[in-house]
């Protein structure tokens, strides 16, 4: 799920407004976008790459390592299944509001096929200096620069803010992993934490969580085994209980998934939990000092 230079990217929905804009930005940064999908424009060339009727047809001619989905909610299931059937190893699903029954089917099919789903409702993944896949401003060198801090975030906007602060602090990032804000996502906080723990370029980790769900508590179990330092910020500290806030997954019931529960679990695992996003960079500067 960490993008590496040279990995080939398929853009499903490449000819749409957003698909076109972000494909151009990905290419500008160095991402190897090699093909696109739009059944109505198959056989054409768009942004200098061939457009195919399906992912299956595309990969028959051009092997692809990742696919990114710029497809509306009601069509997303078919596009993702197409990528899975094409043998793509990782599918970055930007789309939100995909029907729950479709999401369940997608995850089941991906698991059987050994395909990694990032999202739904993710902003994407970034490896500064190499490329990005999605709608994060990976091309903006004021926000992203090569470094050794791995960043995990459910929120694209909060993740962008943290990366900006890390860059201004002179630290930079080894990778940004946007796991997505939906309640049923294919890559969890723990999954991302494990990936960054294995990554030799990552020396420390910034973990941005939110109230709702139990992903941070589950990630804390793995954090206990790690030697790499972790600093975390949990959004939603002042949110009222039993009320859905922001992302579809941000709902707290019975204390589990609440701010206090997440903070306690992380701190007991040795994670430095800060009160504001700005303090993430300060905490990690202390690690390097």
């Amino acid at each position: 799920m960490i993008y590496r230079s040279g990995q080939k990217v398929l853009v499903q929905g490449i000819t749409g407004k957003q698909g076109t804009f972000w494909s151009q930005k990905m290419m500008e940064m160095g991402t190897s976008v090699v093909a696109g999908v739009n059944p109505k424009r198959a056989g054409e060339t768009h942004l200098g790459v061939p457009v195919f009727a399906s992912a299956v047809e595309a990969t028959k001619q051009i092997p692809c390592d990742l696919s990114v989905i710029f497809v509306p909610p009601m069509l997303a299931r078919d596009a993702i299944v197409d990528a899975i059937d094409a043998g793509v190893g990782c599918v970055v699903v930007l789309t939100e509001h995909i029907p729950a029954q479709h999401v369940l089917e997608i995850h089941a099919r991906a698991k059987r096929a050994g395909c990694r789903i990032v999202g739904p409702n993710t902003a994407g993944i970034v490896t500064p200096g190499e490329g990005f896949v999605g709608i994060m401003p990976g091309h903006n060198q004021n926000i992203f620069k090569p470094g050794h801090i791995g960043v995990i975030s459910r929120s694209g906007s909060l993740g962008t803010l943290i990366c900006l602060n890390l860059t201004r602090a002179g630290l930079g990032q080894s990778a940004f992993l946007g796991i997505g804000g939906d309640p049923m996502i294919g890559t969890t906080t723990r999954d991302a934490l494990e990936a960054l723990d294995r990554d030799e370029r990552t020396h420390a980790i910034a973990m941005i969580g939110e109230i709702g769900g139990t992903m941070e508590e589950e990630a804390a179990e793995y954090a206990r085994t790690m030697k790499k330092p972790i600093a975390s910020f949990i959004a939603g500290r002042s949110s009222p209980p039993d009320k859905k806030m922001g992302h579809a997954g941000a709902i707290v019931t019975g204390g589990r998934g609440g701010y206090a529960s997440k903070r306690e679990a992380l701190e007991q695992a040795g994670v430095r939990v800060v009160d504001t996003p700005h303090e993430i960079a300060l905490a990690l500067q202390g690690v390097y000092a």
Side-chain angles (χ1 to χ4, degrees), residues 37-247:
V37 173
N38 181 338
K40 296 180 180 180
R41 295 182 59 177
E44 297 182 16
T45 298
H46 187 69
L47 302 179
V49 301
V51 179
F52 295 88
S54 68
V56 170
E57 290 299 316
T59 56
K60 285 179 181 178
Q61 298 189 39
I62 307 172
C64 297
D65 302 293
L66 299 93
S67 175
V68 58
I69 306 294
F70 287 93
V71 177
M74 295 308 296
L75 301 177
R77 176 259 180 209
D78 290 344
I80 298 163
V81 168
D82 180 28
I84 294 170
D85 290 346
V88 177
C90 178
V91 183
V92 179
V93 184
L94 309 175
T95 313
E96 60 178 325
H97 305 308
I98 301 174
Q101 67 270 27
H102 291 182
V103 176
L104 288 169
E105 179 186 354
I106 289 162
H107 290 323
R109 295 184 69 143
K111 184 176 182 179
R112 289 196 298 269
C115 174
R116 164 72 65 184
I117 300 292
V118 180
N121 193 15
T122 176
I125 57 178
V126 184
T127 301
E130 294 192 31
F132 77 100
V133 181
I135 57 174
M136 287 294 288
H139 58 289
N140 189 326
Q141 296 180 7
N142 293 319
I143 299 173
F144 287 95
K145 79 167 190 175
H148 297 289
I149 308 296
V151 181
I152 304 167
S153 182
R154 292 167 69 173
S155 164
S157 55
L158 266 178
T160 301
L161 175 61
I162 295 300
C163 290
L164 174 64
N165 290 341
L166 290 172
T167 295
R168 287 178 172 174
L171 296 176
Q173 311 83 26
S174 56
F176 170 85
L177 301 177
I179 61 172
D182 275 13
M184 295 182 289
I185 54 177
T187 299
T188 66
T189 302
R190 175 166 177 158
D191 294 334
L193 195 61
E194 291 181 16
L196 292 174
D197 192 25
R198 294 190 298 266
D199 180 41
E200 294 182 355
R201 303 183 194 182
T202 299
H203 298 170
I205 295 166
M207 188 167 68
I208 317 307
E210 299 178 2
I211 61 166
T214 59
M215 283 197 298
E216 288 80 5
E217 287 98 330
E218 291 161 6
E221 296 173 5
Y222 182 79
R224 291 177 184 275
T225 70
M226 293 177 58
K227 294 182 180 179
K228 294 180 181 180
I230 307 169
S232 179
F233 169 73
I234 306 297
R237 181 177 185 177
S238 302
S239 300
D242 299 318
K243 182 177 178 61
K244 192 168 88 170
M245 305 289 291
H247 285 142

